Amino acid sequence: MSNFRQDFLNFALQQNVLKFGKFTTKAGRQSPYFFNAGLFNDGASTLQLARFYAQAILESNVQFDMLFGPAYKGIILAAATAMMLAEKGINVPFAYNRKEAKDHGEGGVLVGAPLKGRVLIIDDVISAGTSVRESLTFIKNAGAQAAGVAIALDRMEKGTGELSAVQEVQQQYGLPVVAIANLLDLFTLLEQNDSPELAQFVEPMKSYRTKYGVV
């Protein structure tokens, strides 16, 4: 069994993408950790991130014909992941959307390869599911089929109801969601790490999961 999930989280720690401490989320929750994939912002870290996406996707056995990256974060993720898949011998096209339509050149809001076949959506996280819904609209309107969603981290915490944002996407659209790592992997990271600095966050993480976590 590959240990790429722990490799990914350790990499995220080194890049300060994953931090432990006291943070306030957009929902106003007091969280003992913070994950910001936008901080993978240079060539080397983005390249390594794309390797993890490609590995997670391939190990999931999700069947797909192309990638789609919702603007804006998904654009570079889809392009970089397509490159890493090509290095593994799987050359698939990719596309992404603009926030506003262009009225010159190729026009429209979609850029890249035509949406067709089974389309795998690539994004950093699923928060409210907005970018997934928008992506599904593009895919449906093009006559293509959504194959699933690939994200960096599944927080496994409740949204507005009892389900997580990931579970809502799975339930509403019947789509598989592939995550490089999830909250359980975060616990493994903390429990297996010899650092006293990280060990102090085990209990705060357990309390946070009890309050906001989903099964």
Side-chain angles (χ1 to χ4, degrees), residues 35-167:
F35 181 87
N36 181 6
L39 296 178
F40 290 120
N41 54 16
D42 61 21
S45 64
T46 302
L47 181 67
Q48 184 59 42
L49 174 62
R51 287 194 182 102
F52 286 120
Y53 268 103
Q55 188 167 4
I57 290 167
L58 294 178
E59 291 201 9
S60 75
N61 292 318
V62 169
Q63 301 300 303
F64 63 98
D65 301 305
M66 68 175 296
L67 306 179
F68 179 80
Y72 289 102
K73 289 182 180 178
I75 296 174
I76 183 63
L77 296 177
T81 301
M83 293 179 201
M84 293 314 304
L85 287 169
E87 278 206 344
K88 294 177 180 291
I90 302 171
N91 186 32
V92 294
F94 68 90
Y96 58 90
N97 68 293
R98 299 184 180 95
K99 288 290 188 179
E100 296 180 0
K102 243 178 107 177
D103 58 4
H104 60 280
E106 72 274 23
V109 295
L110 296 178
V111 184
L115 289 176
K116 60 182 181 181
R118 298 163 297 183
V119 184
L120 181 62
I121 302 165
I122 310 287
D123 213 343
D124 58 343
V125 296
I126 297 177
S127 297
T130 304
S131 67
V132 172
R133 285 191 292 273
E134 291 176 349
S135 299
L136 291 174
T137 298
F138 290 128
I139 293 167
K140 181 180 178 181
N141 289 345
Q145 175 187 350
V149 186
I151 58 175
L153 181 69
D154 179 1
R155 294 189 176 103
M156 299 177 69
E157 63 182 70
K158 297 174 185 175
T160 54
E162 292 302 307
L163 298 179
S164 71
V166 165
Q167 288 175 330

